[in-house]
Amino acid sequence: MARTPLDKIRNIGITAHIDAGKTTTTERILYYTGKSHRIGEVHDGNTTTDYMEQERERGITITSAAVTAVWKDYRINVIDTPGHIDFNIEVNRSLRVLDGAVFIIEGVAGVQPQSETNWRLADRYNVPRIIFINKLDRTGADFYRAAATLTEKLGINWVTLQLPIGIEDTFVGVVDLVEMKAIIWKGDELGAKYEDAPIPADLADKAAEYRQKLVDTVVGIDNAAMEEYFDKGDVSVETLKRCIKLGTISGEFRPVLCGTAFKNKGVQPLLDAVVDYLPSPIDIPGIKVAPEEGQDETADRRNIPADENAPFAGLAFKIINDKYGNLTFVRVYRGVLRQGDMVMNTTKGQRERIGRMFQMHADKREEIKEVSAGDIAAFVGLKDTGTGDTLADQADPVVLERMAFPVPVIDIS
Ligand code: GDP
């Protein structure tokens, strides 16, 4: 596989209250990104991101595997973050290595207690987030009420990028407030066609009102956009998108999208939003090095920016023991590493030889010869590397900020 330019990589997590639809949305993402040849429904117990038997039985996702998907020549690595309250350590661990997240809430209940917990955890790591209000097909779904819970429960500044067209049984699509058009799905089934359409007449006023709110909020953070707005009375789609991305990365506001993953409406525009608004590894400062002895977490420390041409540095964030043996998932922050290379485990002060490396897809794994900055890959046969350890080139043997809690190896063989 050719090396993906850094600006075309997105390392994201999908996080949600249990039952809000994280698994279903992830499945659709994998389907629409063409990497999943079959689709698993949660009730069939054959979903592709669920590794553990126990998980299959309960229909929830505990482990955080990373899956690579491709959308419009962007590489999206989806790091599976668990939603259940008991697995906060797992959530924590995943948040450390992702650059952005899709936060799913459900269209009937809105923000639920576990969403609040996960939101606060993501705050701790300054993870840029977009919000997807799911299940708009359900009886009792109300986009506006669900969105209001973002203020009530999370106290956040959010801005809606879409309005629903219809609701419950009549939900057919969304108004895209950035491009001021409707997007309509032609059916409920997986792979249902969708197309652009004029905004329905009965939504015209509401669309204009929400478009204005969007413009007011997002241009307020950028002087050039503000000037454009004063000069022309409006801003271009390009300016709007640039400002939404700026505000999403800085956390100034959180963009809100909507749909129904189960009825296959809204997931493709959500993928567009992931590439348009969530950061690539070079849009953000990079991971910090670990505190030196005597320093605490708050000490000012060096950042390791994403750079393919600098000495290698990566963080092992997950070990899975599957039928092929131990797979160590590594997030690469800097440099390039090839099969056969020697590398330092700088956390332990030991050398490791790099064996086979794989990119994990929804239903297969692909052997790769090298990994480079921004990538996530699974390494086979690392001997002494545990979760939270840094692998780095001798030329600059940094130790990256690690996850400060004990983590068990999960055995799923
Ligand atoms: P998770 O616990 O967040 O991973 O949620 P799941 O994806 O497992 O979904 C929980 C339940 O809600 C399953 O029975 C799904 O089929 C159902 N579900 C997910 N998304 C939707 C949706 O958009 N509409 C409806 N009606 N049901 C959904």
Side-chain angles (χ1 to χ4, degrees), residues 5-249:
L6 273 165
D7 66 332
K8 296 257 163 113
I9 297 178
R10 299 290 180 276
N11 288 312
I12 66 158
I14 299 176
T15 156
H17 184 282
I18 181 160
D19 270 356
K22 190 192 70 184
T23 310
T24 309
T25 307
T26 307
E27 289 293 333
R28 268 46 173 183
I29 286 177
L30 296 179
Y31 176 84
Y32 289 118
T33 54
K35 290 295 181 186
S36 180
H37 304 303
R38 62 181 168 78
I39 190 86
E41 293 297 350
V42 174
H43 55 259
D44 294 338
N46 65 344
T47 56
T48 43
T49 45
D50 288 2
Y51 276 93
M52 298 168 72
E53 277 311 312
Q54 179 198 15
E55 215 179 336
R56 286 164 194 265
E57 280 162 25
R58 287 197 278 162
I60 59 167
T61 307
I62 306 170
T63 57
S64 47
V67 181
T68 298
V70 178
W71 181 250
K72 297 182 177 173
D73 83 353
Y74 285 77
R75 184 193 293 197
I76 303 177
N77 295 312
V78 182
I79 299 139
D80 193 20
T81 56
H84 195 274
I85 192 92
D86 290 346
F87 304 111
N88 270 346
I89 287 181
E90 285 266 352
V91 178
N92 228 319
R93 182 168 17 160
S94 321
L95 288 172
R96 155 66 67 246
V97 294
L98 47 84
D99 300 326
V102 173
F103 199 83
I104 300 178
I105 67 172
E106 69 121 295
V108 182
V111 174
Q112 293 164 289
Q114 181 61 23
S115 325
E116 271 183 77
T117 315
N118 286 352
W119 188 271
R120 306 287 168 224
L121 279 172
D123 277 346
R124 198 191 295 168
Y125 296 110
N126 294 321
V127 178
R129 271 150 278 174
I130 56 182
I131 295 160
F132 184 67
I133 301 184
N134 187 34
K135 300 198 182 185
L136 290 189
D137 62 306
R138 269 192 59 191
T139 308
D142 181 336
F143 170 79
Y144 301 95
R145 198 183 58 220
T149 66
L150 293 166
T151 312
E152 291 155 18
K153 302 275 177 59
L154 300 177
I156 59 168
N157 196 9
W158 50 274
V159 57
T160 177
L161 304 189
Q162 296 176 338
L163 299 180
I165 303 175
I167 196 75
E168 302 177 352
D169 285 354
T170 64
F171 177 74
V172 290
V174 296
V175 173
D176 174 343
L177 297 168
V178 176
E179 299 196 17
M180 283 304 262
K181 66 181 185 190
I183 304 171
I184 308 281
W185 278 262
K186 297 291 169 197
D188 284 346
E189 74 282 7
L190 187 70
K193 293 212 166 18
Y194 63 111
E195 58 188 36
D196 291 355
I199 295 173
D202 62 340
L203 275 175
D205 288 348
K206 201 163 216 169
E209 178 197 335
Y210 275 82
R211 157 81 179 198
Q212 192 59 46
K213 280 189 198 172
L214 170 64
V215 172
D216 289 346
T217 308
V218 310
V219 304
I221 66 165
D222 184 75
N223 285 340
M226 199 58 125
E227 275 174 34
E228 183 182 331
Y229 184 49
F230 283 141
D231 280 356
K232 300 187 183 142
D234 201 0
V235 288
S236 66
V237 169
E238 209 181 7
T239 300
L240 205 48
K241 285 190 171 178
R242 185 174 60 76
C243 292
I244 295 168
K245 183 171 181 179
L246 276 177
T248 304
I249 295 174

Side-chain angles (χ1 to χ4, degrees), residues 311-380:
F312 178 84
L315 187 72
F317 67 94
K318 175 86 178 178
I319 296 173
I320 286 181
N321 195 340
D322 77 358
K323 59 184 174 192
Y324 303 105
N326 264 0
L327 288 178
T328 307
F329 284 81
V330 175
R331 161 72 201 259
V332 180
Y333 287 94
R334 201 176 66 174
V336 176
L337 195 64
R338 298 183 182 83
Q339 282 192 18
D341 283 355
M342 291 298 291
V343 71
M344 281 297 290
N345 176 328
T346 50
T347 310
K348 299 220 170 89
Q350 284 163 344
R351 282 154 66 85
E352 283 271 19
R353 181 176 292 283
I354 301 304
R356 303 173 78 192
M357 297 184 286
F358 293 90
Q359 202 108 63
M360 311 300 283
H361 298 287
D363 52 1
K364 66 176 191 336
R365 48 186 193 169
E366 175 192 10
E367 184 157 3
I368 50 178
K369 295 290 174 212
E370 64 167 40
V371 290
S372 59
D375 281 345
I376 289 179
F379 291 32
V380 180

